[in-house]
Every structure is written in C-alpha cells, then in structure tokens.
Amino acid sequence: MGYELRVVRESPLAFAELAKAIAPAGFELRGSDEIVAGHGGAAHAVARWDDQLIGEPGSDWQVAQLLRLSAALGARLVGEDGEVYAVRDGVIEVEAGGGTVEIGKFDEIIDAGPASWTP
C-alpha cells in the first residue's frame, strides 16, 4: 500500500451521489469500487471507493486527477499526514507544516499523462 490521499467533504459522500457526480467530470466507475480517468486511449485508476474516496497516486497526473475529482464533489484533497492539496492560479500546491510547496502547473501535468514517478 502506498501513500494515501483522501477526498474529504464536510458532509459524508454516499455512493449513489458519487456515481452521479463523476461522469460529468470525465471519470468512470470501473467495477464497484474503482474510479478511472482516460488518457491516451486507456483508462487509468485514480481512486477507489471504500466508504470514502482514497487514492494512492504514483504520478503527478494522478494527484491532479484526484484534485479534479475533489473539485467535482465539492471536497478537499488531504494526505494521510494532514497536508492539503489545492490548485491556485493554475498551479498544484501542497500545504503542510506551515509552508507551501508547488508541484507544477495543473494543465501541463494533465497533458503529460500518468507517467509513474521514479525512485
């Protein structure tokens, strides 16, 4: 299991609400628990449903997709250590420990696709 990011809302998210909200945002439900987004003619996993939406990103693209998904659901994207991910002025940022780190430009990351991070 990798590092988890959670889609967090003030009010709990029901599965029926999730299923209704993701399609207009460009996501699909695969099986009963996996949310996918398309890139390059293929579907790529973004999150899984386990009474909440959880993602284990392996690329900046997946982080960006989780941010899109969070926005579509009126939610925030939060890491397991409490950091908050957001898009500000077209740039993905992570707020943690009193500071902010920029990941990169949202549109460029989405266009680049789901290339995995390398160690």
Side-chain angles (χ1 to χ4, degrees):
M1 182 189 280
Y3 191 79
E4 292 184 346
L5 300 179
R6 291 183 165 81
V7 175
V8 178
R9 286 184 8 146
E10 294 299 320
S11 60
L13 181 66
F15 183 77
E17 186 179 359
L18 167 75
K20 183 179 177 182
I22 63 171
F27 296 95
E28 295 179 22
L29 185 61
R30 183 164 54 189
S32 63
D33 67 347
E34 189 173 43
I35 309 302
V36 299
H39 184 80
H44 302 273
V46 172
R48 74 179 185 284
W49 175 256
D50 189 9
D51 291 326
Q52 63 180 337
L53 280 174
I54 301 169
E56 294 179 33
S59 70
D60 288 344
W61 182 86
Q62 287 173 311
V63 172
Q65 294 294 346
L66 283 164
L67 282 164
R68 282 186 56 241
L69 184 56
S70 296
L73 297 170
R76 296 177 301 130
L77 185 60
V78 180
E80 59 188 54
D81 292 330
E83 67 280 13
V84 177
Y85 293 73
V87 177
R88 187 182 329 248
D89 297 325
V91 176
I92 297 174
E93 298 179 339
V94 182
E95 294 181 31
T100 301
V101 175
E102 292 184 355
I103 293 178
K105 293 182 179 179
F106 181 85
D107 290 339
E108 290 176 3
I109 291 170
I110 291 291
D111 290 345
S116 296
W117 292 316
T118 55

